[in-house]
């Protein structure tokens, strides 16, 4: 079995977070951008689509949905609000492409407009873009290792038109960067790999990152001593990559780290490249919801382990009790997160208000969230604002305006404090 086959055999913890984002953000994109597009049409291009569904876990009849089936769910959901999502799936592996066609044939609604393009994204991007036309386009790039060559990504996606609504979600594989980077520093040695093989691998990543600039960034980060781990060096490469994309295309970026376990280095960065100022605010809410799914995934895995132990060696209290304890713990822990994050954001609001009398939420939200970015979401910001308003330091929010991001937090005049 190849590593790629293992990948689809079982949805890994990292995929829970990725799919948590993919089941939320494309809906937001389609809803917002489809409000002004012709016929509410929006295109979702899944450039590295995979087989559509994962293999079932032990004891399950059906595997978890892969990114294409999440896109189908998105399309069905937003159809209720007169948005028509056209899905374009590109998959290089003929077996996966066949499987994908079968899964979609079985599970996609007859009304869904979708296309499966078999072959590499490099070869099929032109057709995919022709299908997108001038509609808003959200592209997911979720390869195993490196994605499209940089020039093709820049010209095909980021420069498809200044007036066209375009966003790109890149799942950047940090682990590949640090493994391949290890070839430069000698940390990664594969006796099977020839010098020519090594240099071809390095050139593949050069093409994706847009030149060999990353080699110096990686080496310097490794040699800097302090945090000097390969994972940290890969993150620095990713940060520099995002800066380069912005310089070359004007697209800003918002990265969300994807880890296997909470105390692990990020293995991936799910990066949203965007132009619209509302995008990062909405993406943060999606990431926050996905992080909650991810915590729940670990709780369920730990509970399943506990119940399996109980089956072998029943204790006095039994399985029902173990489930109740786990449920109560989860509620308590989530409650503690809510409180901690709200307190951090409230403290940030107070600090920012000492510097400036007006804080527009949409443009300053990342300052307001601070270290809770990607974890906290709008409900925490709302609660924090209410807390600061109750203290008499800020004007209360406008409860008639549903979109908090459109409001500004205004310092209350001292003579008006309660
Ligand atoms: C990480 S998997 C995608 C997983 C999928 N997005 C999901 O979440 O269910 C990457 C997929 O890209 C496919 N692939 C690899 N190189 C490709 C290329 N150049 N163009 C299109 N697909 C490619 C692989 O066969 C594999 O199915």
């Amino acid at each position: 079995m190849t590593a790629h086959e293992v990948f689809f055999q079982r949805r890994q913890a990292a995929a829970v977070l990725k799919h948590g984002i993919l089941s939320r953000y494309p809906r937001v994109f389609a809803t917002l951008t489809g409000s002004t597009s012709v016929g509410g049409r929006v295109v979702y291009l899944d450039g590295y689509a995979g087989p559509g569904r994962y293999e079932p876990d032990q004891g399950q009849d059906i595997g978890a949905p892969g990114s294409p089936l999440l896109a189908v769910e998105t399309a069905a959901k937003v159809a209720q609000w007169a948005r028509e999502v056209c899905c374009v799936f590109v998959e290089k592996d003929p077996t996966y492409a066949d499987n994908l066609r079968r899964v979609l044939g079985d599970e996609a609604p007859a009304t869904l407009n979708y296309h499966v393009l078999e072959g590499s994204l490099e070869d099929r991007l032109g057709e995919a873009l022709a299908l997108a036309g001038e509609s808003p386009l959200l592209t997911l790039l979720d390869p195993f290792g490196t994605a499209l060559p940089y020039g093709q990504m820049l010209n095909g996606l980021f420069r498809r038109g200044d007036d066209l609504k375009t966003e790109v979600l890149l799942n950047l594989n940090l682990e590949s960067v640090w493994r391949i980077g290890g070839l430069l520093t000698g940390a990664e040695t594969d006796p099977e790999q020839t010098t020519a093989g090594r240099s071809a691998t390095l050139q593949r990543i050069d093409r994706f990152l847009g030149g060999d600039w990353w080699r110096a960034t990686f080496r310097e980060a490794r040699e800097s001593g302090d945090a000097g781990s390969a994972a940290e060096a890969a993150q620095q490469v990713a940060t520099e990559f995002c800066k380069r994309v912005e310089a070359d295309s004007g697209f800003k970026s918002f990265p969300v780290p994807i880890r296997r376990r909470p105390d692990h280095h990020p293995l991936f960065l799910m990066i949203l490249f965007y132009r619209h100022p509302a995008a990062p605010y909405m993406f943060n809410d999606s990431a926050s919801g996905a992080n909650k799914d991810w915590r729940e995934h670990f709780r369920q895995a730990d509970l399943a382990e506990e119940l399996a132990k109980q089956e072998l060696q029943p204790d006095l209290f039994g399985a029902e009790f173990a489930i109740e304890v786990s449920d109560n713990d989860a509620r308590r822990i989530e409650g503690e997160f809510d409180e901690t994050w709200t307190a951090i954001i409230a403290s940030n609001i107070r600090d920012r208000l000492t510097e400036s009398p007006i804080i527009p939420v949409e443009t300053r939200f990342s300052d307001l969230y601070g270290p809770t970015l990607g974890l906290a979401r709008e409900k925490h910001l709302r609660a924090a604002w209410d807390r600061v308003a109750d203290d008499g330091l800020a004007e209360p929010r406008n409860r008639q305006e549903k979109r908090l991001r459109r409001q500004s937090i205004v310092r209350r005049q001292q003579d008006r404090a309660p």
Side-chain angles (χ1 to χ4, degrees):
M1 187 180 293
T2 68
H4 293 179
E5 282 162 347
V6 171
F7 177 91
F8 289 113
Q9 194 117 85
R10 206 165 166 277
R11 195 168 72 136
Q12 293 153 2
V16 173
L17 212 154
K18 174 177 82 176
H19 288 164
I21 291 176
L22 296 181
S23 60
R24 289 176 172 85
Y25 189 70
R27 272 182 206 191
V28 175
F29 179 84
T31 310
L32 292 183
T33 62
S35 64
T36 49
S37 70
V38 180
R41 184 177 190 265
V42 173
V43 177
Y44 180 72
L45 164 60
D46 187 344
Y48 299 81
R53 198 177 261 296
Y54 286 66
E55 293 290 324
D57 270 348
Q58 229 178 5
Q60 289 180 334
D61 296 334
I62 188 160
S67 56
L69 285 182
L70 296 176
V72 168
E73 279 172 25
T74 297
K77 185 79 194 164
V78 301
Q80 300 169 24
W81 306 307
R83 306 292 188 270
E84 195 222 329
V85 177
C86 164
C87 298
V88 182
F89 302 109
V90 184
E91 173 52 51
K92 186 175 175 185
D93 183 305
T95 312
Y96 289 161
D98 271 349
N99 201 74
L100 178 58
R101 279 188 282 260
R102 189 177 49 70
V103 164
L104 291 170
D106 289 347
E107 300 189 41
T111 49
L112 180 71
N113 180 7
Y114 71 84
H115 307 262
V116 175
L117 306 181
E118 186 176 322
S120 76
L121 183 60
E122 295 84 314
D123 292 343
R124 309 295 305 255
L125 183 63
E127 278 160 87
L129 290 171
L131 287 166
E134 300 205 332
S135 299
L137 173 64
L138 175 63
T139 301
L140 169 65
L141 300 175
D142 179 26
F144 278 129
T146 52
L148 282 175
Y150 187 76
Q152 204 180 4
M153 185 175 70
L154 205 62
N155 294 325
L157 296 174
F158 293 117
R159 294 186 181 149
R160 66 186 273 263
D162 285 349
D163 301 334
L164 304 183
K165 292 174 180 162
T166 306
E167 289 181 17
V168 176
L169 252 178
L170 168 67
N171 195 18
L172 196 148
N173 191 329
L174 289 174
E175 198 183 14
S176 292
V177 175
W178 84 60
R179 284 191 183 285
I180 296 175
L183 296 174
L184 297 170
T185 59
E188 188 78 20
T189 46
D190 176 356
E192 307 263 299
Q193 203 174 31
T194 59
T195 310
R198 267 198 298 279
S199 107
T201 305
L202 289 167
Q203 280 166 15
R204 198 175 65 238
I205 199 160
D206 290 351
R207 276 197 298 279
F208 163 54
L209 294 172
D212 63 4
W213 58 266
W214 70 276
R215 300 184 185 201
T217 307
F218 188 87
R219 262 202 215 95
E220 276 163 29
R222 286 295 273 141
E223 284 158 10
S224 69
D226 38 288
S229 77
E232 178 61 27
Q235 289 227 48
Q236 291 198 24
V237 169
T239 305
E240 177 62 26
F241 175 74
C242 291
K243 281 190 197 148
R244 285 169 178 257
V245 169
E246 183 170 355
D248 290 339
S249 69
F251 278 71
K252 296 184 189 315
S253 56
F254 187 109
V256 174
I258 295 192
R259 300 177 164 85
R260 193 167 287 143
R261 305 271 328 176
D263 52 346
H264 283 193
H265 291 298
L267 292 178
F268 298 91
L269 285 179
M270 182 64 109
I271 308 174
L272 178 73
F273 291 99
Y274 66 92
R275 273 189 303 221
H276 196 284
Y281 184 90
M282 307 304 277
F283 189 60
N284 180 71
D285 263 32
S286 300
S288 165
N291 264 307
K292 192 166 184 224
D293 293 352
W294 190 64
R295 292 193 293 277
E296 179 60 13
H297 173 85
F298 284 115
R299 177 174 85 89
Q300 294 292 347
D302 291 346
L303 180 60
E305 220 171 272
E306 173 68 27
L307 295 179
K309 267 194 236 152
Q310 293 244 356
E311 250 186 55
L312 290 176
Q313 209 174 14
D315 68 15
L316 211 56
F317 304 105
E320 298 268 310
F321 183 70
I323 295 171
E324 196 184 317
V325 169
S326 171
D327 286 352
N328 288 341
D329 277 356
R331 264 194 296 276
R332 179 182 50 75
I333 292 168
E334 288 300 321
E336 284 169 7
F337 280 141
D338 285 345
E339 174 48 36
T340 309
W341 297 338
T342 302
I344 291 175
I345 298 170
S347 158
N348 288 342
I349 294 176
R350 288 187 196 99
D351 288 351
R352 299 288 97 80
L353 282 176
T354 61
E355 296 156 7
S356 151
I358 298 183
I359 310 168
V361 168
E362 191 167 271
T363 51
R364 299 287 305 281
F365 83 96
S366 68
D367 280 352
L368 298 177
Y369 281 107
T372 71
L373 204 62
L375 299 170
R377 56 187 168 283
E378 190 171 75
K379 76 166 193 173
H380 303 103
L381 177 57
R382 207 182 294 121
W385 185 343
D386 289 349
R387 203 171 279 188
V388 180
D390 288 347
D391 292 347
L393 295 175
E395 294 292 347
R397 63 193 161 87
N398 175 0
R399 287 168 195 263
Q400 312 309 318
E401 166 62 76
K402 288 223 172 70
R403 288 161 303 182
L404 197 72
R405 67 184 163 86
R406 289 282 177 86
Q407 299 191 40
S408 291
I409 305 177
V410 177
R411 187 198 295 157
R412 187 180 281 193
Q413 302 288 333
Q414 273 318 294
D415 54 355
R416 295 196 49 234

